[in-house]
C-alpha cells in the first residue's frame, strides 16, 4: 500500500538522524560537513534555511508550471529555473557525500535516497519528459524542518503519530483485506442488480463505485438508477457508516496505549509497566 | 443485514478450523488428506499455494470478463478458462470429501459451504446465465491464507476485530433501528417540503436521499432545490455529523473492553492489573 | 434541533412504561386492558403482534403510495386501505382510553401522543391533503417492539445509547454553536471570494455550501470555481477533517463514562463510585 | 490556519472576562458602566438582551441582503437598516470606552477588537463596497450569550472543548503537515496518470481533487476517468479511510486526558483516584 509505505518512510525519517552518526572527513571537508550537516553554527543555520526555502520554492514551481496558461507563456523561464535549482541540489548532494567517511550509510539512508530522487528526475526528463514530475518527491525534504528549527516537541509528536500508525498497521491491513473482499462481492452484486446500466458497466467499475460509497466519498459520477440498486446501496451506506468506526476504534485504542509512559524494570528489564505502576508486573521489583 | 452476515461468517471462518478436527480415512486417502487439508508437508504447501493463486486468478478473471470491450473479443477464452478452473475446484471438492470420515462436518461447515458455492454457480449458469457471477463468492476462500502461511498474529488480530464487531452488534442494531425511523421521518418531511420536485419524486426516493446525506456519502444525484429544503438539509447534515460519532463511540469502547482482562490483587484489591501481569502493580503481591 | 427532540423522545419512550403504572378499570374493561396493554397472555400477544404488522404495513403503504406511477393507478385502493387502517387505530386508541382509570396519564404520555398523532392526520387530510404524510409518525410506534418481544437486553442498550447522547448533548450544543458561527463566517468569505458566481449566488447559499463541505457530505451541486475559492475550500476541508473528530471525541468519552457501573455508598449515598472502588470516595466507607 | 485562529480566539473570548477586571470611571459614567458591562441589574439585563437581538437581527440582515431578488427590490431599506444598526453599535462602542479607566485593556482585548470590527466595515464600505461583508464578524459577539444568561455549565463545556483542541493542536498541526506532503505527491501522481484530462488539468487542480477525496467530501466536479486513475483513487480512498481515524484518535485521547486529574493516595500509592475523590478508593485513606 502506497499509504503505509509513506508512513513507514516517515517513521524512518523521524527516527534515523544520519547527521549525528556520520563521521566527518578531516581538514576542509570537516568545515563543509559542519555547514551541510549541522545547524548549530551560523553558517550551517543559514545554509539549512536557504535550502528549505529553495525546496519549498521549487515544489511550488513544479506545481504552478503545470497550469496550462502559465506553461504556454513562461515555458522557457520555468525550464531554466528548474535547471538552476537542480544544479544547486546536485552540488549539495555531492558536498554531502564527499565530506563524510561512511558514504554508503548516507547514500542508502532514507534521507539520502530522497536527496538523490530530488535531483535525478530532471536528468532523466531530458530523455523521458514524463519523469519530470517525480521531482515532487523533494517535498519530503521539508521534513528536515523539525531538526533545523530544533522542534523537538513537534518531532516527538510526529514520531508518536507514526508509531501509533505503525503499531496499528497489522490490524488495519487485515481490516482492509476484509473490506476488499466485502467490496468486491458488493460490487459484483450491484453489477448484476443494475444490469450493466447507469454507469455500472463492468465489475471493476462497480467495485470502484462500492469503494466510493463505503468510504463515504460519494463523487456521484456513478449512482444507482434502479429501485433495487437504490435499496442495495442504502444497505451498503448504512454498513459503511458502522464500518468507518472500525479503523477509528483501532487507531484510538492504539493512541491510548502509546500514551502510557511505560517504565522499565531495573531487575528484569520488562519495559511494559504502566505509568502508574509501583511494582514491576513481571518480577515484583519496586519501581522508583 | 448483509454486512453482519458477512462478519458473522468471518467469525466462523476464523474460529472453526475444520482441518484439525476432521478424521482422515485410512490408506491412500490419508495421503490425499495430508496434501489437501494440511500444509506442513511440502506437497501440501505447494497444493495450498497453487490453490490460492488459482482463486485469486479466477476472481480477477471474473471481474475483467465483464468489461465490455474485453468480453466481446475474448468471450470464448474466458468461457474455457472458467470451465477449466471450475473443473479443478470440483475435483478438489470431491477429494476433500472422499478423504475424510466425517463428511457432514466438512460439507456443512462455513468453509465447506463456501467451497461448494465456488463451483455450483458455473453449472447453474449453463441454464441461467445470471448465476454466473455468484462464483465471486469464491473470493472468501482467500481467507485460508492466514492458516496456509501460518499468520497466527494476523489471524489473532482478525479474530479480535470480528469479535469486537460481534460484541457491539446488538448496540449497532438498535442504533440502526433508531436511525431508520429517523431517516424515514426526515425523508417524508423532505418530500412534503420539496413538493415532489428536484428529484424528491416520492418518499422512497427522499428516504434514499436522507440516507445518502446522513451517512455523509453525498452523491449529489438528488439535492434540495427550495430554500426551506436547504435549511432542512443543513439541519440533517449537522445531525449526521453528531450521529456519526455514535457507532464510533460504540466500537471504540468495545475495542477497549476487548483489550483488557484485568486481574484483581488478593492483598490490596487493586483490580487494574494487566492481563500479563505476574505481580500486582500497586503492592507488589504475586498474582496467581 | 429536530434531532435532539427525536432523541429526547426516544429517551422518554424507553424510560416510561405507562402500561405498568396504569390502573385498569373493573369488569369487562379489565379484560380489554389485559389484551390491549399487556402481552403476557396469548390474546395480548396476538393483539400486539398483529398491531406491529399493521404499523409496518401502513408505513410501507404511506411510502409506496407517493411513487407517481403507483399513485396514478391505485389511488382509490390506497385511499381505502389508509381509511381502514386509521379506523382500526382509532378503535384501538379509544379502547386504550376507556379501559384505564387514569386517562390523562396515558393521553399525555409520549406514547399516547404518538398514538394520537398516528390517527389524526388522516382526518385532517380530508380537509388539508398535505397533512396526510404526518401519519408517518406512527412509525415511532414500532419502538414498542422491545417490550412486546421482551427484548430487555436490546432495550437496555437502546437506553444506554440514548442516555450517552443525552449526557453529551450540552457539549454537542455548544460545539454546534461554535460550528454555526464558523460556518457563517466561512460562507460569507466564500461569497466574497467567488464574487456571487459558480452557484455562490448569496450568503445563505454559501452557508449551505459550507455546511455541505464541513460535514464532508459534498453533494457537488455547488463547488468553487476560482483558484482562490479552491484554496479556501481546501483549508475548509482540512478543517472539517479535524473538526469531525470533536463530536466523536465527546460521544466516545461519554460512552466510556456511561460504561462504568457506579456503586452507591451505603453511608453517604454517593452514587459516583467507580466500578473498581473498594472505599467510597466521598466518605471513606467500605463498599461491599 | 484560519481554523485554529478561530479556536484560539474562542479560547481567549471564553477565558478573558474583561468586564470583571475593568475599573469603571466615577459619577454618571459608573452608571453607564453598570448598564453596558454588567448584567445583574435590570437595566443591564435589558441592554444586554436587546443588544443580542440586534446582533442576531443584523447578521440575518447581512445574509438575506445578498439574495439577488431581495437585494434588487429592497436595496434602499437594507442600506438604511444597516446604517441605523451600525450607528447603535458605534454609540455602544463609544460608551464602552468612555465609562472605564483602563481603556487600552478593553480596546485591545479580543472582545474589544471584535466590537471594533463590527462597526468599521460599514464606514470602509462607503468607499470600498466589498468590505461591507466583513461586518459578519459581529456574529462572534453572540458568544457573550453565555455570560449574559449566566450559562456557567455551557461556558465550562465550551472551555473544555476549546482547551482539548488547543492541547491537541500541535499533534494536529504535524499530522496536517504529513497530510499535505502526501496530498501533493498523490496529486502530482494523479496528474501524470490522468495525463491532464478529466479535469486534472494541472497539479494544483489535482491537489484540490486529492483533498476533496481524502477528506471524503467528494464533490464529484473532478473524478478519475482512466482505469489506472480509478485504481489509484481506490487506493487513495482506502487510505483516507484509515487516515480519518488519526485526528479522531488524537482528539478523543485528549478529551479523555482533560477529563481526569487523578490524585495519588499517600498510603497505598493508588494513583487512580478521581478528581472529586475525598477518600482513596483502594484503601480508604483520606486525601488531602
Amino acid at each position: 500500500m502506497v499509504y503505509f509505505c509513506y508512513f513507514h518512510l516517515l517513521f524512518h525519517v523521524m527516527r534515523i538522524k544520519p547527521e549525528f552518526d556520520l563521521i566527518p572527513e578531516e581538514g576542509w571537508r570537516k568545515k563543509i560537513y559542519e555547514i551541510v550537516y549541522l545547524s548549530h553554527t551560523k553558517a550551517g543555520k543559514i545554509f539549512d534555511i536557504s535550502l528549505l526555502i529553495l525546496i519549498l520554492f521549487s515544489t511550488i514551481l513544479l506545481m504552478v508550471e503545470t497550469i496550462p496558461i502559465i506553461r504556454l507563456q513562461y515555458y522557457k523561464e520555468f525550464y531554466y529555473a528548474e535547471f538552476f535549482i537542480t544544479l544547486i541540489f546536485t552540488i549539495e548532494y555531492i558536498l554531502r557525500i564527499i565530506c563524510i567517511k561512511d558514504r554508503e550509510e548516507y547514500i542508502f539512508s532514507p534521507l539520502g535516497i530522497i536527496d538523490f530522487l530530488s535531483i535525478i528526475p530532471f536528468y532523466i526528463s531530458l530523455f523521458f519528459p514524463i519523469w519530470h514530475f517525480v521531482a515532487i518527491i523533494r517535498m519530503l525534504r521539508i521534513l528536515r524542518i523539525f531538526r533545523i528549527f530544533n522542534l523537538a516537541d513537534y518531532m516527538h509528536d510526529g514520531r508518536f503519530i507514526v508509531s501509533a500508525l505503525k503499531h496499528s498497521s497489522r490490524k488495519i491491513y487485515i481490516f482492509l483485506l476484509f473490506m476488499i473482499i466485502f467490496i468486491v462481492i458488493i460490487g459484483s452484486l450491484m453489477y448484476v442488480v443494475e444490469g450493466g446500466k447507469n454507469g455500472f458497466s463492468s465489475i471493476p467499475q462497480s467495485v470502484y463505485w462500492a469503494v466510493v460509497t463505503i468510504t463515504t466519498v460519494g463523487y456521484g459520477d456513478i449512482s444507482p438508477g434502479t429501485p433495487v440498486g437504490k435499496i442495495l446501496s442504502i444497505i451498503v451506506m448504512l454498513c459503511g457508516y458502522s464500518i468507518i468506526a472500525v479503523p477509528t476504534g483501532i487507531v484510538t485504542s492504539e493512541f491510548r496505549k502509546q500514551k502510557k509512559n511505560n517504565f522499565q524494570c531495573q531487575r528484569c528489564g520488562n519495559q511494559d509497566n504502566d505509568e502508574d505502576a509501583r511494582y514491576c508486573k513481571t518480577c515484583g521489583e519496586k519501581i522508583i
Side-chain angles (χ1 to χ4, degrees), chain A residues 11-48:
Chain A
F11 187 73
H12 281 287
V13 170
M14 290 256 148
R15 202 190 47 188
I16 298 165
K17 309 165 216 140
E19 286 76 3
F20 300 116
D21 308 330
L22 298 170
I23 305 135
E25 293 270 354
E26 299 299 315
W28 60 274
R29 290 181 171 179
K30 192 169 182 173
K31 276 246 163 76
I32 292 171
Y33 171 85
E34 273 165 8
I35 293 170
V36 171
Y37 280 105
L38 308 179
S39 51
H40 58 253
T41 64
K42 214 185 162 184
K45 197 127 202 162
I46 289 167
F47 175 83
D48 276 343

Side-chain angles (χ1 to χ4, degrees), chain A residues 46-108:
Chain A
I46 289 167
F47 175 83
D48 276 343
I49 291 172
S50 45
L51 200 70
L52 259 188
I53 293 167
L54 203 67
I55 292 166
L56 250 179
F57 177 70
S58 83
T59 308
I60 292 166
L61 221 68
L62 269 170
M63 288 171 68
V64 169
E65 191 191 337
T66 59
I67 300 172
I69 336 169
I70 293 172
R71 194 191 222 160
L72 284 169
Q73 228 173 337
Y74 304 101
Y75 185 79
K76 275 267 159 77
E77 284 84 344
F78 272 106
Y79 184 83
Y80 289 128
E82 181 63 22
F83 176 77
F84 182 69
I85 288 164
T86 308
L87 204 76
I88 294 175
F89 284 166
T90 312
I91 294 165
E92 184 225 338
Y93 186 64
I94 293 165
L95 286 180
R96 274 185 196 272
I97 290 174
I98 60 166
C99 73
I100 48 167
K101 271 186 181 142
D102 38 0
R103 281 158 199 178
E104 281 82 15
E105 202 151 307
Y106 165 68
I107 291 171
F108 298 107

Side-chain angles (χ1 to χ4, degrees), chain A residues 3-4 7-8 10 159-170 172 251 254-255 258:
Chain A
Y3 154 68
F4 278 108
F7 272 105
H8 286 175
L10 282 182
R159 230 176 286 135
F160 175 79
I161 291 171
V162 170
S163 154
L165 278 170
K166 200 180 161 69
H167 279 93
S168 63
S169 63
R170 207 174 57 204
I172 298 275
V251 174
E254 198 56 53
F255 261 98
Q258 290 281 321

Side-chain angles (χ1 to χ4, degrees), chain A residues 72-275:
Chain A
L72 284 169
Q73 228 173 337
Y74 304 101
Y75 185 79
K76 275 267 159 77
E77 284 84 344
F78 272 106
Y79 184 83
Y80 289 128
E82 181 63 22
F83 176 77
F84 182 69
I85 288 164
T86 308
L87 204 76
I88 294 175
F89 284 166
T90 312
I91 294 165
E92 184 225 338
Y93 186 64
I94 293 165
L95 286 180
R96 274 185 196 272
I97 290 174
I98 60 166
C99 73
I100 48 167
K101 271 186 181 142
D102 38 0
R103 281 158 199 178
E104 281 82 15
E105 202 151 307
Y106 165 68
I107 291 171
F108 298 107
S109 76
L111 274 176
I113 292 165
I114 292 171
D115 288 354
F116 180 70
L117 287 174
S118 299
I119 50 173
I120 206 70
F122 179 78
Y123 299 109
I124 300 180
S125 76
L126 296 177
F127 309 99
F128 308 101
I130 201 78
W131 270 79
H132 184 48
F133 300 108
V134 179
I136 206 98
I137 261 177
R138 66 175 61 141
M139 222 192 153
L140 284 170
R141 300 184 70 188
I142 288 174
L143 291 170
R144 281 211 170 105
I145 203 170
F146 300 113
R147 199 172 28 70
I148 293 169
F149 291 113
N150 230 333
L151 302 170
D153 280 351
Y154 279 82
M155 204 147 174
H156 177 265
D157 280 358
R159 230 176 286 135
F160 175 79
I161 291 171
V162 170
S163 154
L165 278 170
K166 200 180 161 69
H167 279 93
S168 63
S169 63
R170 207 174 57 204
K171 281 204 192 68
I172 298 275
Y173 283 139
I174 202 166
F175 172 73
L176 284 178
L177 180 70
F178 288 172
M179 270 318 24
I180 288 163
I181 295 175
F182 183 64
I183 282 166
V184 170
I185 291 171
I186 285 290
S188 308
L189 205 62
M190 204 66 187
Y191 171 70
V192 173
V193 162
E194 291 279 321
K197 297 207 186 66
N198 303 312
F200 296 86
S201 59
S202 65
I203 290 185
Q205 196 81 345
S206 300
V207 167
Y208 166 74
W209 169 85
V211 173
V212 168
T213 301
I214 287 185
T215 59
T216 77
V217 171
Y219 287 133
D221 50 352
I222 308 174
S223 62
T226 61
V228 185
K230 283 190 182 176
I231 290 166
L232 188 60
S233 53
I234 283 176
I235 294 167
V236 172
M237 279 180 257
L238 290 177
C239 292
Y241 207 50
S242 355
I243 292 171
I244 212 169
V246 176
T248 306
I250 293 169
V251 174
T252 303
S253 63
E254 198 56 53
F255 261 98
R256 279 194 49 71
K257 249 206 326 209
Q258 290 281 321
K259 189 137 279 161
K260 282 192 204 164
N261 215 358
N262 295 333
F263 291 118
Q264 184 171 5
C265 174
Q266 304 284 35
R267 194 163 66 185
C268 73
N270 172 27
Q271 297 186 346
D272 202 29
N273 286 310
D274 286 349
E275 205 177 352

